[in-house]
Amino acid sequence: MTTSEEPFSGPRRRTVVATIGGAGLAAALTACGGDSDGGDGANDSPAPAGAQASGGGDGATGAVLARTADIPVGGGKIFKDEGVVVTQPTKGQFKAFSNLCTHKQCPVTSVEGGTINCPCHGSKFSIADGSVEQKPATSPLPAAEITVDGDSITLA
């Protein structure tokens, strides 16, 4: 009794496993990528009046982000695509911060009651300076640089 085996012309098991592993690694590295400046604030520079300075979100610069009337006094607005939260702690004072929670990098989803709120684990940050108001986060939200010119708010 003889059997004839035809050579298998498809991908080998190890090729499939290696390909899937490589794709997974690439996805993980992409998801874990971030600021190249380390976020230590060493490159921060003074901001123009009415703006907050720092290296923050990854959005496009120069384009009008919002009108000042769009940002409620004592609140703020999240700009998901630009990666920033713009707040107005007091009338005419505008601040901007990264929209990623410093605890586990979840995007924040609301600005209420004077805080920027993360839904993942309940961290809350001050709209005035990004400082931690409620843990588990232990680091403040990094500031983002904006410019206020008349009634226009732009990423600097």
Side-chain angles (χ1 to χ4, degrees):
M1 177 169 165
T2 60
T3 61
S4 69
E5 289 188 29
E6 292 187 28
F8 180 68
S9 63
R12 299 271 187 244
R13 181 183 213 179
R14 75 179 77 167
T15 303
V16 172
V17 171
T19 302
I20 291 171
L25 178 61
L29 291 174
T30 300
C32 292
D35 273 351
S36 61
D37 71 355
D40 63 0
N43 295 328
D44 291 353
S45 59
Q52 178 66 36
S54 183
D58 296 326
T61 60
V64 174
L65 186 61
R67 300 283 176 212
T68 55
D70 297 338
I71 313 300
V73 175
K77 186 172 180 182
I78 298 166
F79 297 90
K80 182 179 174 184
D81 291 342
E82 292 81 4
V84 297
V85 179
V86 177
T87 64
Q88 187 176 186
T90 58
K91 186 172 175 64
Q93 179 189 35
F94 297 91
K95 304 283 184 163
F97 307 96
S98 167
N99 75 335
L100 296 179
C101 178
T102 57
H103 176 239
K104 294 288 184 183
Q105 302 301 304
C106 291
V108 297
T109 57
S110 68
V111 181
E112 298 173 342
T115 59
I116 301 165
N117 309 303
C118 179
C120 292
H121 301 103
S123 294
K124 295 180 183 242
F125 303 89
S126 168
I127 64 169
D129 60 9
S131 63
V132 176
E133 295 282 323
Q134 180 175 306
K135 293 182 178 187
T138 57
S139 299
L141 290 176
E145 190 174 333
I146 56 171
T147 302
V148 179
D149 185 19
D151 69 346
S152 298
I153 300 171
T154 59
L155 287 173

